[in-house]
Amino acid sequence: MEIEQKDLLEEIEWAREKMYDLSSQLNRTSHEVVAISSYLDALLNKYQSTYYKIEN
């Protein structure tokens, strides 16, 4: 089942805020910050590949 664009954008924003909060409390190389950063990267990649297609 494909995630709706609105839901994906909300999840991206949640992950961004979570990463910002964690990085203000923990070392930026901590497991928690790296994990949420990787999750955010995956969400952004999904958004780009699904909704932002570059035409040649």
Side-chain angles (χ1 to χ4, degrees), residues 7-28:
D7 295 334
L8 184 54
L9 287 171
E10 287 175 359
E11 188 70 5
I12 288 169
E13 188 57 32
W14 173 86
R16 186 174 301 166
E17 289 175 11
K18 182 74 172 174
M19 186 179 73
Y20 177 79
D21 290 344
L22 284 174
S23 67
S24 69
Q25 299 169 20
L26 303 171
N27 187 311
R28 288 188 172 93

Side-chain angles (χ1 to χ4, degrees), residues 2-5 8 46-53:
E2 190 69 28
I3 187 169
E4 294 291 327
Q5 184 177 15
L8 184 54
K46 180 168 184 61
Y47 181 84
Q48 184 174 7
S49 68
T50 304
Y51 298 107
Y52 185 76
K53 303 218 185 279

